[in-house]
């Protein structure tokens, strides 16, 4: 597997990148959504490739399964003839692409710079077998409050757990969903009131 | 208040103040009525008071108040006059004694050697004689001192003064340094003022009485003025009975105060007061344009005279530091004697003359003078030379006399001679205006617009005489040049006015011109040395002119306000009393023997004759009055004949004519009596022995008159036949005048119209009053108007133009300043604002509202921040 | 260097995704398109998290947990965003974000 890793990466990553580019370029919103689906799938396979099985799985479930459904629904609810393809002017495209290339260059430079600068420092700290500490059990324990992860050698008593963020995210998600439902319903009720 | 017996002069003060009290009372009541009238309808109290004060129609109350006050004043004057006559005779004797003593006991230092010889001769006389002489001398001295005391006491009895305002002179040595210069309200009674008092109050009383009848039309609540036409017919107004008598009272006060005054300033104030009364009464029917114009004319013409008066006053004030007559005269006229002897100049007594000199060497405080009868200055003499007790040692002027530029009261000073002349001319100009003399005579005939009693009182008998009175009063101040001017002005006036009077047909205008003419006689007399004659004529004229005016008023009243003689005639049957009394007046003014006018006019002619005899180049001064005497007779008889005899020219007027009531005829009769007999004396055939004239001559005539006209007087005294000759000449002229009048207007032998046709030019010339009005209009009024228009044009064009130019220039500067403000100041601010705005507007474009562009900016900003941080980190030497 | 090369690749892929997301947001006029762009950006971030959890010893658990949080948040965000889009559509009868220019200066 380790041997295959670079190959797999070089197989999946360009596909994912191309799909992302296609998402941007496509003028048809339906196709754009479809290319996004592929991009998300590609990303999840990247996660798998990085050994993050749980994240990859959740990516597939939540994103590809849930979020994409929402997006598709949105497209379907609003996609009337003229809105499926709404063209942007050439000038905007040019500006956006130039800005995008610059952004990419900056990010790429930053990444390269980081990788180079931290290469010597982080040589020894690269984990030999990451799989041990990266399974679903560890993550689930971390979310439920069990200290996980490597303890800081300088501060051995300090351990990290993620119960509180987990709870906050849960509540946040609940609020978001209620809010979404409320927002989605408000107008309709008004229309009903206005109808009679 | 001092006892009257101690100060009988106060009787005259009382007489002066009584009419003022009457005026004040009437004015107060009138003011209360005026204030209450609007409320009378509302408030019962106001109504009651209003009714109590006379209501809408005042009734005759005001007339009784005014008449009562002036009649009381008359009584005071009569008592005062009698009293004064007694005192005056006493004072005259005392003065004579004092002078005699002084002449006897003077110490003639100048003629020392002669006296010394005399003394040496006396030495051997025995002791007894010497003692006797000494005793007599002591007795005489005691008597003298007593005389002086009595004299001073009596003098004090008839004078008094009230400090009014004290003005400290700018140059502290002009006047009395101790007291500053005083403006006083003072009185000093001499024979002239005492007689004038009686005359004025008597005539005023009679005219008040006459007015009660004459003005009765004004008693109505509504008076219809037939001479004022409005859109609704004749003008209707409220009766002005009370107002008339109020003005009369004020006038009486002013006139009496003028006579009472002992100083020029008080006279000037009264002068203006009588002027204003005259103005008010001429304009009594002020709704009539002619009346209001006449009032204005009188007032303005008098202002011209008063301007001269003020100039005279200023010169007097500046050089003499006082307005008091006695002080002025004692400083301008040389005293008779100094501490040693009679003052001699060029070997002649110089008393009572104006001493001229040339200024010689200049000193620090003044200069030396050299006496010179043609010198350019006149001496001002030291003031404190009270009779009998000369303070200090006073020396008469000599070639070594030092004069001061601004003399103290005990020092010699000097006044430029020409200024003394100007002062005299200025004061005389005031008199010219007031007495309607030659250049300023135009106002008096127009003044006949006033009610006839006013014409009688003010414009004939009293006020116009004030000018003559003042000339007589100020006589010692006048230099020979001024006196000559006075004489000529009088001569011209009397002839011009008389010539106009010949052709005038308005009965009042005839009298007006006759008044001007008679005033000219008086002025002439004063100017040629007939001081007594002039002032006697003033008195007699006052009576017969008042009589004539009241008579004409009676005629006018009887004919229902018809004044034109061409519409009268044959009125003798209708109004006998009026006609006869007026005939007395006519005879008096004509100079019929034994009528009062004869005495005074004869004296005037004699004085004029004497003057022209001694100054042959001035023969006109005798010729003019002589001829005019005939003219006067002619026009007066013409008036009388036209009015009272012959066939009635206007049936309507004749039919309604009637004799006037007793209130009007009584004054006529009384005045007629006075017109006949006021100047009588003993023997009655000699005008020089007129009692009144003698009184004036002895007690009041300034000694200066005899000095100034010494030659003329000596000639007349030396040749008594001149009197008879002049008298005969005058009578002949009068007879000729009467004859002409009889021929033309009584017997109608000649038709006056034919006579007129013979000389149409002359007639027209006279009818137009010698074209004086036209001349003044062309010379003064028109140029005045043109000048006024020119001034107005100057105002409009130059002044306004300049103002407009300034305004335009201002506008221009403002415009430029505005441009600067707008361009530079506002511009910079606006530029800032514009830049801010455009930058904001440009930046606004950034806020597209497009979500997508925000995203782009977000990305770019993040990139920029990152790059900046990197660049910073690199620059800080980091990796 | 061999060990680190993969990280660089992942980072570059994440950068590409991120950039694509941004460009997508900038160019798409359709509101759903913008939403899609947001998803891409979040995915780019997720790739970074997971890559660092693999290659950085300090982030072995944290990277994945944060990735999970991001995924959950993305889901909520998507729901909310869709609700907004639907409302927007009701109000404007369009999903063109350019017509929502009320914030224009």
């Amino acid at each position: 597997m380790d041997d295959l890793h670079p190959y797999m990466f070089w197989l999946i990553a360009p596909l994912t990148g191309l799909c992302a580019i296609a998402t941007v370029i496509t003028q048809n919103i339906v196709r754009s959504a479809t290319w996004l689906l592929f991009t998300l799938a590609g990303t999840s396979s990247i996660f798998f490739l990085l050994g993050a099985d749980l994240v990859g799985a959740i990516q597939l479930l939540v994103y590809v399964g849930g979020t994409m459904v929402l997006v598709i629904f949105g497209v379907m609810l609003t996609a009337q003839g003229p809105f499926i393809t709404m063209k942007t002017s050439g000038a905007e495209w040019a500006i956006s692409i130039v800005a995008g290339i610059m952004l990419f260059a900056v990010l790429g430079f930053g990444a390269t710079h980081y990788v180079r600068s931290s290469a010597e420092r982080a040589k020894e700290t690269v984990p030999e077998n990451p799989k041990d500490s990266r399974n679903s059990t560890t993550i689930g324990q971390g979310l439920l409050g069990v200290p996980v992860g490597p303890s800081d050698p300088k501060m051995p008593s300090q351990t990290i757990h993620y119960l509180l963020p987990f709870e906050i995210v849960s509540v946040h998600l609940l609020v978001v969903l209620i809010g979404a439902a409320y927002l989605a319903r408000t107008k309709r009720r008004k229309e009903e009131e206005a109808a009679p | 208040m001092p006892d009257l017996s101690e100060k009988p002069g106060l009787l005259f003060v009382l007489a002066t103040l009584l009419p003022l009290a009457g005026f004040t009372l009437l004015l107060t009541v009138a003011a209360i009525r005026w204030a209450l009238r609007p409320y009378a309808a509302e408030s019962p109290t106001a109504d009651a008071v209003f009714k109590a004060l006379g209501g809408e129609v005042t009734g005759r109350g005001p007339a009784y108040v005014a008449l009562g006050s002036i009649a009381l004043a008359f009584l005071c004057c009569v008592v005062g006059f009698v009293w004064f006559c007694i005192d005056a005779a006493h004072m005259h004797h005392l003065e004579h004694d004092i002078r005699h003593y002084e002449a006897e006991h003077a110490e003639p230092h100048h003629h020392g050697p002669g006296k010394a010889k005399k003394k040496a001769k006396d030495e051997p006389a025995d002791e007894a004689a010497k003692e006797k002489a000494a005793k007599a001398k002591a007795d005489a001295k005691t008597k003298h001192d007593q005389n002086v005391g009595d004299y001073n006491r009596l003098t004090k009895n008839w004078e008094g003064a009230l400090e009014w305002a004290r003005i400290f002179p700018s140059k502290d040595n002009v006047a009395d340094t101790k007291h500053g210069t005083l403006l006083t309200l003072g009185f000093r009674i001499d024979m002239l003022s005492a007689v004038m008092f009686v005359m004025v109050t008597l005539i005023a009383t009679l005219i008040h009485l006459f007015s009660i009848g004459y003005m009765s039309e004004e008693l109505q609540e509504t008076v219809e003025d037939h001479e004022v036409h409005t859109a609704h017919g004749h003008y209707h107004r409220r009766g002005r009975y009370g107002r008339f008598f109020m003005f009369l009272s004020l006038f009486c006060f002013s006139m009496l105060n003028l006579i009472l005054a002992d100083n020029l300033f008080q006279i000037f104030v009264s002068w203006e007061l009588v002027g204003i009364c005259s103005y008010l009464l001429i304009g009594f029917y002020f709704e009539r344009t002619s009346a209001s114009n006449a009032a204005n004319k009188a007032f303005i013409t008098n202002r011209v005279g008063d301007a001269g008066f003020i100039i005279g006053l200023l010169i007097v004030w500046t050089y003499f530091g006082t307005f008091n007559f006695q002080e002025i005269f004692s400083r301008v006229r040389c005293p008779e004697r100094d501490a040693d002897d009679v003052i001699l100049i060029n070997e002649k007594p110089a008393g009572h003359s104006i001493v001229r000199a040339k200024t010689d060497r200049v000193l620090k405080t003044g200069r030396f003078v050299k006496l010179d009868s043609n010198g350019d200055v006149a001496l001002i003499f030291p003031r404190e030379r009270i009779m009998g007790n000369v303070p200090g040692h006073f020396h008469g002027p000599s070639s070594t006399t030092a004069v001061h530029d601004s003399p103290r009261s005990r020092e010699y000073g000097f006044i430029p001679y020409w200024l003394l002349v100007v002062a005299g001319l200025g004061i005389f100009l005031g008199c010219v205006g007031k007495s309607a003399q030659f250049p300023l005579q135009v106002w008096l005939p127009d003044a006949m617009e006033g009610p006839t009693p006013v014409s009688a009182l003010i414009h004939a008998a009293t006020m116009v005489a004030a000018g003559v009175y003042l000339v007589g009063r100020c006589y010692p101040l006048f230099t020979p040049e001024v006196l000559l001017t006075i004489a000529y002005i009088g001569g011209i006036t009397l002839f011009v006015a008389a010539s106009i009077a010949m052709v005038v047909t308005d009965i009042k205008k005839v009298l007006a011109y006759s008044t001007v003419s008679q005033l000219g006689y008086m002025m002439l007399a004063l100017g040629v040395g007939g001081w007594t004659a002039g002032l006697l004529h003033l008195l007699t004229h006052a009576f017969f002119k008042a009589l004539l005016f009241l008579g004409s008023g009676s005629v006018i009243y009887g004919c229902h306000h018809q004044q034109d003689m061409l519409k009268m005639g044959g009125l003798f049957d209708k109004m006998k009393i009026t006609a006869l009394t007026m005939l007395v007046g006519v005879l008096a003014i004509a100079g019929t023997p034994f009528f009062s006018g004869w005495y005074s006019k004869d004296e005037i002619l004699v004085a004029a004759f004497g003057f022209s005899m001694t100054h042959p180049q001035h023969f006109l001064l005798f010729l003019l009055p002589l001829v005019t005497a005939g003219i006067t007779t002619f026009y007066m008889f013409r008036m009388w004949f036209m009015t009272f005899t012959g066939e009635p020219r206007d049936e309507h007027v004749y039919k309604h004519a009637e004799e006037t009531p007793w209130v009007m005829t009584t004054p006529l009769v009384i005045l007629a009596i006075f017109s006949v007999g006021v100047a009588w004396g003993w023997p009655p055939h000699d005008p020089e022995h007129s009692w009144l004239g003698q009184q004036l001559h002895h007690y009041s005539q300034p000694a200066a008159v005899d000095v100034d006209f010494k030659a003329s007087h000596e000639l007349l005294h030396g040749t008594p036949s001149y009197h008879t000759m002049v008298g005969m000449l005058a009578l002949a002229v009068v007879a000729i005048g009467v004859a002409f009048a009889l021929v033309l207007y009584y017997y109608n032998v000649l038709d006056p119209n034919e006579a007129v046709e013979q000389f149409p030019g002359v007639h027209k010339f006279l009818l137009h009053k010698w074209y004086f009005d036209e001349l003044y209009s062309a010379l003064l009024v028109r140029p005045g108007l043109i000048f006024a228009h020119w001034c107005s044009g100057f105002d409009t064009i130059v002044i306004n133009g300049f103002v407009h130019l300034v305004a335009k220039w201002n506008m221009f500067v403002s415009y430029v300043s505005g441009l600067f403000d707008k361009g530079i100041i506002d511009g910079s601010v606006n530029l800032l604002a514009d830049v801010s705005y455009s930058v904001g507007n440009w930046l606004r474009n950034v806020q597209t509202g497009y979500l997508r562009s925000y995203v782009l900016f977000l990305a770019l900003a993040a990139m920029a921040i990152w790059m900046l941080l990197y660049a910073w980190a690199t620059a800080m030497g980091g990796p | 260097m061999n060990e680190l090369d993969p990280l660089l690749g992942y980072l570059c892929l994440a950068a590409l995704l991120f950039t694509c997301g941004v460009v997508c947001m900038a160019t798409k006029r359709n509101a759903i398109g913008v939403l899609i762009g947001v998803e891409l950006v979040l995915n780019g971030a997720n790739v970074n998290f997971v890559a660092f959890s693999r290659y950085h010893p300090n982030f072995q658990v944290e990277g994945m947990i944060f990735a999970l949080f991001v995924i959950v948040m993305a889901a909520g965000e998507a729901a909310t965003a869709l609700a907004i889009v639907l409302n927007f559509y009701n109000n404007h009868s369009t999903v063109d974000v350019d017509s929502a220019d009320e914030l224009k200066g």
Side-chain angles (χ1 to χ4, degrees):
Chain A
M1 188 69 181
D2 281 352
D3 301 320
L4 284 176
H5 187 263
Y7 306 108
M8 290 298 286
F9 175 77
W10 283 114
L11 180 65
I12 296 163
L15 278 173
T16 313
L18 284 173
C19 287
I21 292 168
T23 311
V24 175
I25 292 169
T26 309
Q27 293 296 309
N28 191 310
I29 191 68
V30 183
R31 288 185 189 166
S32 185
T34 313
W35 284 119
L36 178 65
L37 183 62
F38 290 139
T39 314
L40 294 175
T43 314
S44 86
S45 50
I46 289 290
F47 291 164
F48 284 124
L49 192 60
L50 283 166
D53 304 335
L54 180 67
V55 179
I58 288 172
Q59 169 91 352
L60 274 178
L61 283 171
V62 176
Y63 247 124
V64 182
T67 308
M68 273 313 292
V69 168
L70 278 173
V71 171
I72 300 292
F73 263 100
V75 170
M76 283 161 67
L77 281 168
T78 61
Q80 293 159 2
F83 302 134
I84 294 176
T85 56
M86 285 192 287
K87 297 211 170 145
T88 317
S89 66
E92 276 183 314
W93 268 111
I95 293 168
S96 301
I97 284 167
V98 167
I101 288 169
M102 282 168 63
L103 186 61
F104 183 72
V106 167
L107 290 175
F109 173 76
T112 316
H113 184 74
Y114 169 75
V115 169
R116 287 221 182 117
S117 63
S118 61
E120 286 84 32
R121 265 188 293 151
K123 212 175 257 176
E124 300 87 36
T125 58
V126 172
E128 294 302 320
N129 188 7
K131 289 260 182 182
D132 297 340
S133 57
R134 289 156 49 82
N135 54 33
S136 315
T137 316
T138 318
I139 291 167
Q141 284 175 334
L143 288 176
L144 291 173
V146 179
V148 292
S151 57
D152 194 335
K154 291 164 190 166
M155 305 165 98
S157 64
Q158 295 281 320
T159 53
I160 301 163
H161 53 87
Y162 300 96
L163 182 58
L164 186 62
F166 180 72
E167 293 292 343
I168 290 173
V169 167
S170 308
V171 173
H172 184 205
L173 195 57
L174 182 64
V175 170
V176 164
L177 285 172
I178 293 167
Y182 173 76
L183 275 175
R185 283 182 59 83
T186 311
K187 186 68 187 176
R188 206 167 296 149
R189 196 191 295 157
K190 268 192 180 170
E191 274 176 2
E192 281 165 11
E193 281 172 5
Chain B
M1 170 142 179
D3 192 357
L4 268 183
S5 61
E6 278 173 21
K7 219 168 180 56
L10 289 175
L11 274 171
F12 292 98
V13 178
L14 188 63
T16 306
L17 293 178
L18 272 169
L20 180 65
F23 166 74
T24 315
L25 179 66
L26 292 180
L27 183 67
T28 315
V29 170
I32 295 171
R33 284 175 65 237
W34 173 78
L36 283 180
R37 182 174 285 127
Y39 304 103
E42 297 162 20
S43 152
T45 323
D47 191 43
V49 177
F50 185 62
K51 289 262 167 61
L53 291 176
E56 279 300 334
V57 184
T58 47
R60 294 182 194 271
Y64 297 146
V65 170
L67 177 62
S69 64
I70 194 70
L72 268 178
F74 171 61
L75 285 179
C76 289
C77 290
V78 169
V79 174
F81 178 66
V82 172
W83 198 325
F84 183 75
C85 283
I86 298 163
D87 270 10
H90 193 190
M91 279 159 74
H92 194 66
H93 285 127
L94 286 175
E95 192 180 345
H96 183 262
D97 287 354
I98 292 165
R99 284 190 191 289
H100 186 73
Y101 175 86
E102 277 178 350
E104 289 253 307
H105 293 84
E107 292 153 27
H109 287 267
H110 293 104
H111 312 287
K115 275 267 171 185
K117 252 182 214 166
K118 216 176 170 187
K119 255 184 189 172
K121 238 185 229 173
D122 287 344
E123 242 171 275
D126 58 349
E127 283 294 313
K130 213 176 184 183
E131 211 169 78
K132 202 178 170 189
K135 192 162 182 290
K137 201 175 178 183
D139 281 354
K141 180 89 173 84
T142 321
K143 182 93 189 317
H144 173 69
D145 289 348
Q146 197 187 338
N147 283 349
V148 169
D150 281 357
Y151 183 84
N152 286 340
R153 182 176 52 76
L154 285 174
T155 315
K156 286 275 178 300
N157 277 357
W158 298 98
E159 63 185 23
L162 200 65
E163 283 189 18
W164 185 13
R166 189 185 289 275
I167 297 170
F168 289 91
S170 52
K171 286 187 275 180
D172 62 348
N173 46 4
V174 163
D176 201 327
T177 45
K178 207 165 61 186
H179 304 300
T181 306
L182 269 179
L183 288 184
T184 54
L185 289 178
F187 69 94
R188 186 176 181 280
I189 305 299
D190 62 358
M191 187 51 81
L192 178 61
S193 45
V195 173
M196 286 285 285
F197 255 101
V198 176
M199 182 270 282
V200 169
T201 47
L202 172 59
I203 293 179
T205 308
L206 295 175
I207 287 175
H208 274 71
L209 190 63
F210 182 86
S211 303
I212 290 176
Y214 189 85
M215 299 305 285
S216 55
E217 272 189 7
E218 297 288 335
L219 280 168
Q220 303 163 36
E221 196 164 340
T222 323
V223 177
E224 188 179 8
D225 195 330
H226 295 280
E227 295 184 29
V228 182
H229 303 278
T230 64
H232 315 288
H234 291 306
Y235 180 76
H236 291 264
R237 60 176 169 78
R238 193 180 288 132
R240 294 183 187 139
Y241 199 69
R243 184 188 298 190
F244 180 82
F245 283 96
M246 189 169 82
F247 289 161
L248 274 193
S249 282
L250 179 62
F251 168 76
C252 289
F253 159 71
S254 315
M255 186 67 206
L256 294 177
N257 190 32
L258 198 154
I259 303 167
L260 186 76
D262 71 341
N263 61 75
L264 267 175
F265 190 74
Q266 196 177 343
I267 282 204
F268 183 69
V269 172
S270 317
W271 195 262
E272 296 303 323
L273 270 175
V274 292
I276 204 73
C277 290
S278 164
Y279 172 80
L280 292 170
L281 286 165
I282 295 171
F284 188 73
Y285 304 116
F286 56 82
E287 293 89 356
R288 303 178 188 166
T289 322
S290 56
S292 60
N293 281 349
N296 282 336
K297 192 173 179 182
F299 202 71
I300 291 164
T301 312
N302 268 299
R303 292 285 74 66
V304 177
D306 290 346
F309 198 170
I310 289 176
I311 291 171
L313 287 188
L314 292 178
I315 293 172
V316 166
W317 176 263
T318 310
Y319 279 92
F320 300 106
T322 177
F323 282 139
N324 187 287
F325 287 123
Q326 298 308 308
E327 292 180 11
I328 295 171
F329 300 156
S330 65
R331 303 206 76 181
V332 77
R333 293 277 173 171
C334 182
E336 248 176 283
R337 37 190 316 122
D338 58 12
D340 303 322
D341 203 350
V342 175
I343 295 173
L344 295 174
I345 291 171
N346 296 333
E347 304 298 318
K348 277 183 243 164
H352 305 296
S353 62
I354 294 172
V355 178
R356 291 171 71 173
K358 264 185 186 152
T359 54
D360 202 8
R361 281 182 295 129
V362 177
L363 299 174
K364 206 172 185 183
T365 54
R367 55 196 80 188
F368 281 115
V369 291
K370 204 178 207 170
L371 300 182
D372 181 345
S373 57
N374 291 316
D376 57 348
V377 299
L379 285 185
I380 296 177
F381 292 89
R383 192 172 80 196
E384 293 182 14
R385 290 180 283 104
I386 302 162
M387 184 170 294
N389 50 348
V390 182
H393 204 74
F394 167 66
H395 285 290
S398 68
S399 291
T400 52
T401 301
V403 296
H404 294 81
D405 285 334
S406 39
R408 288 166 212 275
S409 52
R410 293 190 184 194
E411 290 167 347
Y412 277 101
F414 70 93
I415 174 172
Y417 189 69
W418 69 273
L419 268 180
L420 193 60
V421 174
V422 168
L425 286 177
I427 290 173
F428 176 58
L429 185 59
C431 302
V432 164
K434 194 62 81 193
S435 287
Q437 293 301 292
F438 157 56
L440 302 179
Q441 86 280 29
V442 288
W443 68 270
L444 188 57
D446 287 17
M448 296 303 126
E449 289 289 342
T452 308
V454 168
S455 306
L457 178 62
I458 299 184
H459 303 124
T462 56
M463 182 190 87
V464 290
V468 179
Y469 169 80
L470 187 64
V471 170
R473 181 54 91 208
C474 290
Y475 182 88
L477 194 59
F478 295 142
T479 61
E481 292 84 352
V482 178
L483 289 171
L484 194 63
T485 314
I486 293 173
Y488 266 104
I489 293 284
I492 294 167
T493 310
L494 66 90
F495 179 71
V496 169
S499 66
I500 298 170
M502 283 194 296
V503 297
V504 177
T505 55
D506 184 318
I507 186 167
K508 275 179 80 179
K509 291 254 165 102
V510 174
L511 293 174
Y513 281 109
S514 123
T515 305
V516 176
S517 176
Q518 298 302 310
L519 291 167
Y521 269 103
M522 301 171 205
M523 286 292 185
L524 176 93
L526 289 169
V528 296
W531 191 92
T532 309
L535 290 168
L536 181 65
H537 195 58
L538 166 61
L539 295 166
T540 56
H541 170 258
F543 284 105
F544 59 68
K545 191 47 65 69
L547 167 64
L548 285 168
F549 259 107
L550 290 192
S552 78
S554 179
V555 170
I556 292 165
Y557 187 86
C559 295
H560 303 283
H561 295 279
Q562 183 52 257
Q563 299 193 7
D564 195 348
M565 292 193 296
L566 292 177
K567 300 207 170 142
M568 296 174 185
L571 291 173
F572 187 82
D573 301 333
K574 291 273 187 170
M575 29 180 76
K576 282 207 173 62
I577 303 175
T578 308
L580 286 173
T581 47
M582 270 191 92
L583 184 60
V584 171
V586 168
L587 289 171
I589 196 172
T592 317
F594 305 111
F595 285 74
S596 63
W598 178 62
Y599 295 91
S600 49
K601 198 177 264 184
D602 229 38
E603 283 294 284
I604 290 173
L605 286 174
V606 167
F609 177 74
F611 186 75
S612 55
M613 282 297 278
T614 43
H615 303 82
Q617 71 271 33
H618 299 310
F619 71 95
L620 266 180
L621 290 182
F622 174 64
L623 205 58
L624 281 175
L626 186 68
V627 172
T628 308
I631 299 175
T632 309
T633 318
F634 171 73
Y635 69 70
M636 287 318 290
F637 275 100
R638 167 179 175 266
M639 180 201 84
W640 197 82
F641 288 145
M642 280 179 87
T643 309
F644 293 108
T645 65
E647 291 299 308
R649 293 184 190 78
D650 191 310
E651 275 306 318
H652 179 76
V653 170
Y654 181 76
K655 216 159 76 183
H656 292 89
E658 59 193 359
E659 182 59 285
T660 46
W662 68 269
V663 277
M664 293 164 76
T665 49
T666 310
L668 290 180
V669 173
I670 298 172
L671 281 172
I673 293 165
F674 274 95
S675 298
V676 176
V678 74
W680 279 352
W682 191 260
H685 59 80
D686 185 0
E688 261 203 88
H689 286 90
S690 155
W691 182 79
L692 208 55
Q694 289 295 316
Q695 295 290 315
L696 287 175
H697 182 77
H698 287 286
Y699 303 134
S700 223
Q701 176 169 299
V705 179
D706 278 330
V707 174
D708 288 350
F709 295 94
K710 206 173 177 191
S712 156
H713 288 187
E714 274 172 1
L715 176 78
L716 292 173
H717 279 290
T719 326
S721 61
Y722 282 149
H723 281 271
T724 328
M725 193 195 84
V726 172
M728 289 302 154
L729 215 55
L731 275 181
V733 171
V734 165
I736 294 168
V738 177
F740 264 106
L742 280 170
V743 165
L744 280 168
Y745 294 100
Y746 188 69
Y747 294 115
N748 295 325
V749 180
L750 286 172
D751 189 358
N753 293 328
E754 274 178 28
V756 165
E757 277 161 22
Q758 294 287 313
F759 310 100
V762 175
H763 182 255
K764 204 177 165 202
F765 182 67
L766 295 178
L767 211 53
H768 281 87
K769 311 164 204 166
W770 290 46
Y771 291 99
F772 271 111
D773 282 341
E774 286 80 357
L775 183 73
Y776 289 166
S777 173
L779 276 184
L780 300 169
V781 179
R782 203 71 63 74
L785 281 176
I786 289 167
F787 182 68
H789 281 140
W790 189 81
C791 282
S792 147
F794 182 80
D795 263 17
T796 356
I797 294 164
V798 180
I799 307 284
N800 283 10
F802 178 71
V803 171
H804 284 164
L805 191 72
V806 169
K808 280 201 178 124
W809 168 247
N810 263 336
M811 278 171 68
F812 175 71
V813 169
S814 306
Y815 176 73
V816 171
S817 164
L819 277 189
F820 179 79
D821 269 14
K822 274 187 194 156
I824 312 293
I825 310 287
D826 285 13
S828 58
V829 174
N830 282 347
L831 187 69
L832 200 65
D834 282 348
V835 167
S836 303
Y837 180 76
S838 48
V839 166
N841 210 18
W842 177 71
L843 281 177
R844 204 177 76 130
N845 294 331
V846 174
Q847 298 288 333
T848 55
Y850 297 146
L851 195 58
R852 299 179 291 112
S853 51
Y854 290 147
V855 169
L856 211 55
F857 291 141
L858 213 58
L860 289 172
M863 259 156 52
I865 288 169
W866 191 86
M867 286 196 286
L868 276 175
L869 282 175
Y870 180 75
W872 182 67
T874 314
M876 295 298 285
Chain C
M1 281 300 281
N2 273 345
E3 276 299 314
L4 284 172
D5 269 346
L7 177 59
L8 186 59
Y10 290 117
L11 290 183
C12 284
L13 177 64
L16 181 65
L17 285 175
F18 184 86
T19 308
C20 284
V22 169
V23 173
C24 187
M25 282 194 282
T27 52
K28 287 280 190 286
R29 285 168 65 195
N30 196 316
I32 307 291
V34 176
L35 191 55
I36 287 168
V38 174
E39 302 298 344
L40 278 174
V41 167
L42 290 173
N43 263 285
N46 264 359
V47 168
N48 253 10
F49 277 130
V50 175
F52 274 106
S53 81
R54 169 69 182 78
Y55 292 105
H56 199 286
N58 287 354
F59 301 131
Q60 284 181 4
V61 180
E62 286 89 338
M64 286 191 291
I65 285 175
F66 270 98
L68 284 173
F69 285 160
V70 170
I71 289 166
V72 172
M73 295 303 295
E77 173 256 318
T80 314
L82 272 169
I84 291 170
V85 168
L86 284 177
N87 251 342
F88 182 82
Y89 180 69
N90 281 336
N91 284 339
H92 292 83
S93 302
T94 181
V95 283
D96 185 354
V97 288
D98 286 359
S99 65
D101 57 354
E102 285 86 356
L103 284 177
K104 184 173 180 175

